[in-house]
Amino acid sequence: CPTYDPADGYEISGFVWFQGFNDLVDGGTYPTGPDGNRDYSSYSDLMAAFIRDVRKDLDAPKMPFVIGVLGVGGLEANDNTLAFRKAMAAPASLPEFKGNVAAIETAPFWSEELAAIDQKRGKVKQMAHLLRVKNKNTPNADGSMDAAAQKEYLKKFEADLISEKESAMWARGASNAGYHYLGCAKTFALMGQAFAEANLEMLKGE
């Protein structure tokens, strides 16, 4: 940091941990049971060990630690995602972390409106693929549509599926895929505020 002055020193006021999607889909590390669901219990143990290690390395034994619980998929997430969220939040309930570790749910900040549009965009991409491979359930089953004809069909298909209002909303509010919260600045701003407020509350309790 170019403006840092060693004479002023510094203060470690907190730590935010916000990740999880790659662990959610990691079938190699987290075993899948006979019911098709993964066992994420080891994530809780590793997360607790990580908190201890970071505090030790920074020489800040009671440093406020915020766990941003994975919110991809919003409130209607599937069983695996719900199980992962539970494992991710679990360390905050350990007696040793009472009052200095907080698990903040981010699912409420997921943009359901953008997610609905993203699903429609997925259908457009799927149709483009089906046209290219001459799927029997598409107008190009006989292979008579050239690239230009396919493009024209997709244009109408998308217009019928996604309204102008939705297209404008997507252009204004999204910039990435679902695993990155659709790149929605509003979502990230709300999550960041929640993390900061949780950290501040823990600082007040010191």
Side-chain angles (χ1 to χ4, degrees):
C1 180
T3 60
Y4 174 65
D5 184 353
D8 292 335
Y10 61 88
E11 176 185 359
I12 298 176
S13 298
F15 193 105
V16 175
W17 177 256
F18 185 43
Q19 60 82 245
F21 188 83
N22 284 340
D23 283 285
L24 172 67
V25 299
D26 186 350
T29 301
Y30 306 100
T32 301
D35 59 356
N37 293 325
R38 292 198 177 109
D39 178 7
Y40 295 107
S41 56
S42 62
Y43 185 97
S44 302
D45 298 332
L46 294 170
M47 185 79 253
F50 177 66
I51 295 171
R52 298 184 195 105
D53 288 346
V54 168
R55 286 175 167 173
K56 180 180 179 181
D57 290 346
L58 296 177
D59 193 24
K62 295 297 181 180
M63 176 185 68
F65 194 104
V66 176
I67 301 171
V69 180
L70 184 75
V72 168
L75 299 175
E76 302 299 324
N78 59 37
D79 289 344
N80 264 333
T81 301
L82 294 176
F84 180 73
R85 289 175 182 172
K86 184 177 179 180
M88 195 174 193
S93 63
L94 293 175
E96 67 179 291
F97 295 148
K98 184 177 181 180
N100 55 63
V101 173
I104 304 302
E105 299 288 341
T106 64
F109 305 123
W110 172 259
S111 175
E112 298 292 351
E113 289 181 317
L114 291 177
I117 299 170
D118 191 44
Q119 287 186 340
K120 293 181 179 182
R121 286 166 55 86
K123 291 180 179 179
V124 174
K125 291 179 181 177
Q126 181 184 41
M127 177 56 71
H129 169 72
L130 294 176
L131 287 173
R132 285 195 301 271
V133 300
K134 305 173 188 177
N135 182 275
K136 64 179 181 180
N137 296 317
T138 70
N140 197 34
D142 61 359
S144 60
M145 298 174 71
D146 59 16
Q150 291 179 43
K151 183 177 181 180
E152 189 62 28
Y153 179 86
L154 279 175
K155 183 178 179 180
K156 184 178 185 307
F157 182 82
E158 181 173 354
D160 290 341
L161 192 62
I162 303 174
S163 69
E164 290 185 9
K165 181 179 179 181
E166 289 174 324
S167 293
M169 182 183 296
W170 181 266
R172 183 177 65 253
S175 64
N176 212 300
Y179 48 78
H180 285 156
Y181 297 82
L182 302 169
C184 178
K186 179 181 178 180
T187 296
F188 282 105
L190 292 172
M191 292 189 295
Q193 180 178 359
F195 298 158
E197 289 175 348
N199 195 91
L200 182 59
E201 283 302 310
M202 288 187 284
L203 282 173
K204 290 178 180 178
E206 286 186 345

